[in-house]
């Protein structure tokens, strides 16, 4: 029944609107508001490249296939166009009417070309002559047989030129000037205080005539094209996956345009000619009333000297003793870390110590996304150089990180690491590191299971969970998992974990059905889950069944949710909340009451068809009582949020949580979790000071 589900694209656009709400929130520090505004722009770029690009391809093939909400590709494009145009309008209202005037007040000012002082004019003229003119190269676009390949998501200046011709009508032509990728967007100009800047496009527009001496410039227009990046990697057909990846990277540079952003001041006639040249329709055209590409303002939001207009620092807490070996800490007890509140250092230290430890004989790890200067990759290379057996699965198909992963894979292989370039027909998205160590009692396996990537930079801004253990059954499962996905053994049953695409969905369905049965027997039944997206019809239908049996279901979903909560005789017992705050919510944590036994899991997987059917993912049970209690407390904190929480309505829209009144406590979940982390550290320190150590005679 189509109306059981919310359209996925509409739900995503609602998510981006919730991010935009943070930019509009006057209680948020000004430069953080600017940062949220930049994020909405970056999000929209990726949405158009991937989702709109893919749907546009289906529409061009005249596909009539309907999505679960009942919309054809063409209907989805119409829906996207309507809501995207509104979001863009709201973005620029936020920038021009709220944020930029406030930036001016704190002396961060954009200088326009119409009010340049003589000194500033001389500066920008010199900058154009010395820094811009030698770099940029005009290209004609009105030659049918010689169309230039304009870069995706790059600013360009279109110039309409009239060339005087003796005894004939003037010749009119259009050229495009691509902005060099090496040129900075913000050009700082001298000021006695603050930060004053002029945009690179304004300088180029001001002096464009210098590039065409003897000709008349009739009109200029700054624009940017977005191209389809949803190009499939045919790894089942590719003889060489590395070559196929490189081919895809090249193909993205000249794929079909799916969006044209252009200055609002552009004349209708000039716009029409550019639309024809780029093959875009009016629905795909976005007239911009301000600087194109607000994502670039992320750089401005991070400038130094304006700290009082940023969030107060929340330095991550060290929960694991740095004075003793990480192996000793894990052997003592299972470790659960809630990032970014708990420091990511123990995860890095695990690989670093393993690389130097002579008792470590093997390291196996999956890398999906890593940082530019990854300390984990450096440790893996070090381990290989020391003669350890190192196996790394590098996912080359991690979208937009293909080039970086390709480079890392080659460096790892050069160092002697056994590199597996992903798994054929699947993306490897699981987060796992296995250390095999020879100890007095025999072989011991130390494992890190996580919900986030092995990237220490994003670990400081993403909310994720790390679980470190040396429990025998989980270690045996880790070894089986690596053997299976590396093709060394057939699929087999695990002791504890579940994996996609074999049985992860089935395990979740089993847990949901168990809650249904207990409710039928008159027992308490409760499901709490936190993840990023819910689109899988099979799991949504299972949740609907559970709701109809009276199971209470509480879902915290950051982004897409196609389930309709609160519908009579369908989902009356389902509540869906979303948290958008300073840290990106990324953890996947699932709780099932299970007759009072309380089953908890962490996972690398969202509840989406792509994760459950087309990716290698893991679902890991957390059995340690202390760890279970910590995770349960985390989940409940999110559901208690009354500051940043928004509630999903059955129509697909969100409403903000009612503000706490009277003596009711104001709970902002991310700040609460940080305080919990501080409290945990204090408890550990208090235990240490309570231990009395007597002096003993030296032997």
């Amino acid at each position: 029944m189509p109306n059981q589900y919310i359209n996925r694209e509409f739900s995503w656009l609602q998510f981006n609107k919730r991010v935009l709400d943070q930019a509009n929130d006057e209680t948020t520090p000004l430069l953080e508001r600017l940062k949220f505004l930049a994020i909405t722009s970056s999000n929209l770029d990726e949405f158009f490249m991937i989702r709109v690009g893919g749907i546009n391809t289906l529409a061009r093939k005249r596909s009539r296939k309907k999505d679960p909400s009942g919309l054809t590709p063409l209907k989805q494009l119409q829906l996207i166009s309507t809501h995207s145009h509104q979001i863009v309008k709201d973005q620029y209202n936020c920038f021009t009417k709220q944020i930029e005037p406030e930036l001016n007040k704190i002396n961060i000012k954009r200088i326009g070309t119409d009010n340049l002082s003589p000194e500033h004019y001389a500066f920008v003229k010199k900058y154009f002559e010395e820094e811009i003119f030698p770099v940029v190269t005009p290209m004609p676009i009105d030659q049918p047989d010689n169309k230039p390949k304009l870069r995706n998501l790059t600013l360009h200046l279109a110039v309409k030129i009239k060339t005087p011709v003796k005894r004939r009508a003037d010749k009119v032509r259009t050229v495009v000037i691509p902005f060099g990728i090496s040129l900075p967007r913000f050009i700082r100009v001298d000021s006695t205080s603050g930060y004053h800047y002029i945009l690179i496009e304004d300088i180029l527009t001001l002096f464009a005539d210098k590039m065409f001496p003897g000709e008349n410039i009739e009109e200029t227009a700054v624009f940017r094209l977005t191209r389809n990046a949803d190009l499939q990697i045919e790894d089942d057909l590719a003889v060489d996956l590395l070559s196929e990846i490189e081919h895809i990277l090249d193909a993205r540079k000249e794929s079909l345009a799916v969006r044209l952003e252009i200055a609002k001041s552009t004349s209708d006639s000039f716009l029409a000619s550019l639309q024809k040249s780029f093959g875009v329709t009016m629905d795909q055209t976005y007239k911009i009333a301000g600087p194109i590409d607000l994502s670039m303002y992320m750089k401005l939001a991070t400038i130094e000297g304006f700290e009082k207009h940023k969030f107060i620092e929340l330095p991550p807490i060290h929960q694991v003793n740095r004075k003793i070996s990480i192996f000793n800490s894990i052997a003592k007890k299972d470790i659960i870390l809630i990032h970014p509140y708990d420091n990511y250092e123990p995860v890095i230290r695990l690989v670093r110590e393993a690389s130097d430890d002579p008792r470590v004989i093997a390291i196996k790890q999956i890398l999906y996304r890593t940082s530019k200067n990854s300390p984990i990759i450096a440790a893996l290379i070090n381990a290989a150089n020391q003669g350890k057996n190192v196996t790394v699965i590098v996912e080359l198909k991690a979208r937009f990180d293909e080039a970086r992963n390709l480079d890392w894979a080659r460096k790892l292989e050069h160092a002697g690491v056994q590199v597996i370039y992903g798994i054929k027909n699947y993306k490897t998205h699981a987060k796992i590191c296995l250390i095999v160590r020879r100890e007095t009692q025999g072989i011991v396996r130390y494992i890190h299971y996580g919900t986030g990537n092995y990237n220490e930079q994003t670990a400081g801004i993403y909310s994720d969970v790390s679980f470190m253990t040396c429990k025998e059954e989980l270690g045996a499962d880790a070894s089986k998992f690596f053997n299976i996905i590396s093709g060394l053994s057939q699929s087999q049953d695990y002791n504890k974990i579940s994996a996609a695409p074999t049985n992860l969905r089935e395990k979740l369905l089993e847990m949901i059905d168990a809650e249904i049965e207990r409710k039928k027997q008159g027992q308490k039944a409760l499901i709490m889950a936190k993840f990023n997206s819910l689109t899988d019809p099979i799991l949504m239908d299972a949740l609907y069944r559970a709701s109809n049996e009276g199971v209470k279901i509480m879902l915290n979903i950051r982004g897409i949710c196609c389930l309709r909560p609160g519908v009579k005789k369908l989902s009356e017992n389902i509540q869906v909340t979303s948290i958008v705050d300073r840290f990106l919510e990324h953890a996947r944590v699932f709780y099932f009451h299970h007759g009072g036994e309380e089953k908890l899991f962490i996972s690398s997987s969202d509840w989406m068809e792509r994760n459950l059917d087309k990716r290698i993912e893991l679902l890991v049970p957390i059995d340690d009582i202390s760890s279970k209690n910590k995770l349960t407390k985390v989940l409940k904190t999110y559901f208690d949020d009354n500051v940043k929480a928004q509630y999903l309505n059955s129509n697909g829209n969100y409403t903000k949580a009612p503000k706490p009144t009277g003596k009711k406590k104001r709970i902002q979940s991310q700040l609460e979790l940080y305080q919990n982390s501080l409290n945990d550290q204090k408890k550990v320190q208090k235990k240490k000071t309570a231990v009395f150590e007597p002096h003993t005679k030296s032997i």
Side-chain angles (χ1 to χ4, degrees):
M1 191 169 79
N3 61 9
Q4 284 184 206
Y5 310 115
I6 299 166
N7 174 261
R8 171 180 170 155
E9 319 314 326
F10 175 77
S11 183
W12 185 91
L13 290 164
Q14 288 293 302
F15 158 66
N16 210 32
K17 183 177 178 296
R18 295 196 296 282
V19 180
L20 184 57
D21 286 343
Q22 303 306 306
N24 283 305
D25 186 350
E26 294 181 1
T27 66
T28 299
L30 179 59
L31 291 182
E32 303 297 344
R33 293 174 64 189
L34 182 61
K35 196 179 291 185
F36 279 117
L37 189 62
I39 291 169
T40 66
S41 180
S42 177
N43 285 348
L44 212 53
D45 289 347
E46 186 167 337
F47 176 70
F48 270 89
M49 285 190 290
I50 302 305
R51 296 302 304 174
V52 180
I55 296 170
N56 190 61
T57 299
L58 293 174
R60 289 174 67 88
K61 293 178 179 178
R62 301 185 183 279
S63 170
R64 300 288 299 167
K65 184 179 179 181
K66 294 180 179 180
D67 77 325
S69 72
L71 297 182
T72 63
L74 187 59
K75 287 290 184 183
Q76 290 185 74
L77 289 177
Q78 292 168 352
L79 178 147
I80 288 166
S81 178
T82 298
H83 290 280
S84 295
H85 276 90
Q86 185 60 51
I87 284 179
V88 171
K89 182 180 177 182
D90 293 343
Q91 281 179 323
Y92 282 90
N93 278 339
C94 177
F95 179 76
T96 59
K97 296 179 181 179
Q98 295 184 52
I99 291 180
E100 193 161 47
E102 292 299 316
L103 289 172
N104 289 335
K105 289 179 183 178
I106 66 170
N107 210 11
I108 298 178
K109 293 183 178 180
R110 174 162 60 109
I111 308 298
T113 55
D114 55 349
N115 60 349
L116 289 172
S117 67
E119 294 79 13
H120 285 161
Y121 181 85
F123 168 77
V124 296
K125 183 173 183 293
K126 184 180 179 183
Y127 190 91
F128 171 80
E129 292 170 348
E130 295 181 358
E131 302 290 338
I132 300 177
F133 184 80
V135 173
V136 299
T137 304
M139 300 186 297
I141 63 167
D142 42 15
Q143 297 179 7
D145 299 329
N146 188 26
K147 291 280 186 182
K149 295 178 174 65
L150 305 186
R151 289 177 65 96
N152 182 37
L153 294 181
T154 300
L155 284 179
H156 297 78
L157 183 70
V159 186
K160 187 177 182 182
I161 302 169
K162 184 176 285 188
T163 306
V165 180
K166 290 181 180 180
R167 294 189 293 274
R168 281 191 295 165
D170 291 347
K171 181 181 178 182
V172 178
R173 62 194 176 98
T174 300
V175 300
V176 165
I177 305 174
F179 289 52
I181 58 174
S182 61
L183 294 173
R185 182 73 183 275
F186 304 103
I187 311 301
R188 190 170 184 178
V189 299
D190 285 340
S191 57
T192 55
S193 62
Y195 186 97
H196 295 186
Y197 67 96
I198 187 169
L199 294 173
I200 189 80
E201 61 264 36
D202 290 340
I203 298 177
L204 185 52
T205 301
L206 180 63
F207 296 107
D209 61 323
K210 305 297 183 186
M211 305 193 74
F212 308 99
E215 299 181 282
N216 299 318
I217 293 180
E218 284 202 333
E219 187 174 357
T220 61
V222 178
F223 71 92
R224 187 173 74 140
L225 287 174
T226 308
R227 298 191 180 278
N228 176 17
D230 187 37
L231 305 175
Q232 299 303 313
I233 296 169
E234 303 291 347
D235 59 335
D236 55 333
L237 301 177
V239 175
D240 182 352
L241 182 58
L242 276 70
S243 297
E244 179 69 10
I245 294 290
E246 290 171 333
H247 169 72
I248 289 293
L249 293 174
D250 288 337
R252 282 181 185 162
K253 297 174 184 176
E254 52 189 272
S255 57
L256 290 173
V258 294
R259 179 179 60 165
L260 167 64
E261 297 166 281
I262 193 164
K264 190 176 182 181
S265 58
T266 308
S267 69
D268 290 345
S269 59
F270 196 27
L271 173 61
S273 68
L274 292 172
Q275 287 173 323
K276 184 178 180 181
S277 292
F278 306 141
V280 297
T281 65
M282 203 64 211
D283 278 350
Q284 295 173 312
T285 302
Y286 292 76
K287 295 182 177 180
I288 305 300
I292 293 173
D293 183 16
L294 292 175
S295 70
M296 291 300 295
Y297 275 86
M298 182 65 77
K299 294 180 181 178
L300 199 63
T302 58
I303 58 174
E304 295 181 357
F306 296 87
E307 271 56 44
K308 69 178 183 178
H309 300 287
K310 301 176 184 177
F311 284 132
I312 296 171
E313 286 287 325
L314 298 178
I317 310 301
H318 286 280
Q319 302 291 1
V320 182
N321 192 333
R322 287 170 284 173
K323 294 180 181 179
I324 64 174
S325 166
I326 189 68
F327 296 114
N328 291 345
S329 295
I330 297 171
K332 187 177 178 182
K333 66 171 186 175
D334 289 350
I335 296 172
I336 280 279
L337 300 173
I338 312 300
H339 309 299
Y341 319 105
D342 296 336
N343 203 300
Y344 193 70
E345 180 270 343
V347 181
I348 298 172
R349 183 151 52 100
L350 177 66
V351 187
R352 276 182 172 163
E353 277 195 32
S355 72
D356 285 324
D357 190 333
R359 286 172 290 183
V360 169
I361 55 178
I363 304 173
K364 300 182 181 185
Q365 190 164 12
I366 290 173
L367 297 177
Y368 189 74
R369 299 188 195 277
T370 57
S371 63
K372 186 177 180 180
N373 300 303
S374 172
I376 286 179
I377 289 181
L380 293 169
I381 290 172
N382 178 52
N385 287 336
Q386 294 198 33
K388 299 185 192 303
N389 190 326
V390 183
T391 302
V392 177
I393 297 170
V394 180
E395 183 46 78
L396 295 184
K397 301 187 288 292
R399 189 172 275 132
F400 303 128
D401 273 340
E402 297 99 337
R404 177 179 293 174
N405 287 3
L406 190 63
D407 184 49
W408 279 131
R410 284 170 170 158
K411 287 178 180 176
L412 286 163
E413 201 165 42
H414 181 73
V417 174
Q418 180 185 350
V419 178
I420 298 172
Y421 294 100
I423 307 303
K424 197 170 185 178
N425 299 320
Y426 297 98
K427 275 190 181 181
T428 311
H429 192 249
K431 323 298 182 185
I432 179 174
C433 177
L434 169 64
I435 313 290
V436 182
R437 193 169 187 252
R438 193 184 302 281
E439 299 184 357
T440 307
Q441 69 273 32
I443 294 295
V444 179
R445 285 171 284 210
Y446 293 83
I447 318 98
H448 170 270
Y449 290 105
T451 68
N453 299 306
Y454 289 103
N455 185 325
E456 76 289 349
Q457 293 181 355
T458 56
I461 54 175
Y462 285 18
S463 166
D464 270 306
V465 177
S466 280
F467 173 52
M468 292 189 278
T469 183
C470 61
K471 294 284 173 57
E472 177 55 34
E473 286 186 309
L474 287 170
D477 279 354
S479 290
K480 284 182 186 178
F481 174 76
F482 275 107
N483 287 341
I484 291 168
I485 64 173
S486 63
L488 297 178
S489 68
Q490 297 297 312
S491 182
Q492 52 191 295
D493 292 337
Y494 295 106
N495 299 304
K496 292 280 190 177
I497 68 172
S498 303
T502 51
N503 69 337
L504 200 157
R505 182 193 279 112
E506 286 67 24
K507 182 63 178 180
L508 292 172
L509 290 171
E510 174 191 320
M511 299 307 299
I512 294 170
D513 287 340
E515 294 302 306
I516 293 173
E517 288 304 311
R518 282 176 167 79
K519 190 63 183 179
K520 286 179 178 179
Q521 295 167 16
Q523 299 180 36
K524 178 182 175 180
L526 172 64
I527 298 170
M528 293 189 293
K530 170 179 166 47
F531 46 96
N532 304 320
S533 297
L534 172 57
T535 66
D536 184 61
I538 297 172
L539 285 174
M540 286 190 285
D541 288 347
L543 293 173
Y544 286 147
R545 289 198 310 273
S547 173
N548 281 331
E549 293 295 339
V551 177
K552 185 178 181 182
I553 301 167
M554 302 169 71
L555 306 177
N556 183 271
I557 304 174
R558 181 196 78 213
I560 301 166
C561 178
C562 295
L563 178 146
R564 293 186 186 274
V567 178
K568 193 173 182 180
K569 296 183 179 179
L570 179 68
S571 55
E572 294 173 82
N573 292 300
I574 303 177
Q575 169 194 309
V576 179
T577 61
S578 175
I579 305 289
V580 177
D581 204 346
R582 66 185 290 177
F583 301 122
L584 179 78
E585 293 298 338
H586 192 251
R588 292 94 168 181
V589 183
F590 314 137
Y591 167 100
F592 302 90
H593 185 66
H594 208 70
E597 292 180 21
E598 294 191 321
K599 299 289 185 180
L600 276 109
F601 302 85
I602 64 168
S603 182
S604 60
S605 174
D606 287 313
W607 292 11
M608 306 177 76
E609 300 98 312
R610 72 176 190 192
N611 295 77
L612 301 167
D613 297 326
K614 299 177 182 178
R615 291 189 176 189
I616 308 294
E617 304 272 16
L618 285 175
L619 177 72
V620 182
I622 306 298
D623 295 330
D624 171 68
I625 296 298
S626 175
S627 299
K628 285 170 69 171
N629 290 341
K630 185 170 182 174
L631 284 179
T632 303
K633 188 175 182 181
V634 167
L635 280 175
K636 289 180 177 177
T637 301
Y638 282 114
F639 292 115
D640 288 339
D641 192 306
N642 53 23
V643 176
K644 292 296 183 179
Q646 293 197 36
Y647 292 89
L648 176 61
N649 302 322
S650 59
N651 59 9
N653 295 310
Y654 286 76
T655 57
K656 293 180 181 179
K659 290 183 179 180
T661 57
K663 294 182 179 180
K664 190 173 182 181
K665 183 182 176 183
R666 188 177 184 271
I667 299 174
Q668 188 171 344
S669 54
Q670 292 191 351
L671 295 182
E672 199 79 6
L673 290 170
Y674 184 73
Q675 187 58 51
N676 290 347
S677 184
L678 277 172
N679 293 341
D680 288 346
Q681 186 192 51
K682 289 175 184 176
K683 287 176 186 176
V684 171
Q685 290 173 342
K686 191 174 181 180
K687 279 184 180 179
K688 285 180 182 178
T689 58
V691 175
F692 301 99
E693 185 176 350
H695 287 287
T696 57
K697 185 179 178 180
S698 299
I699 297 176

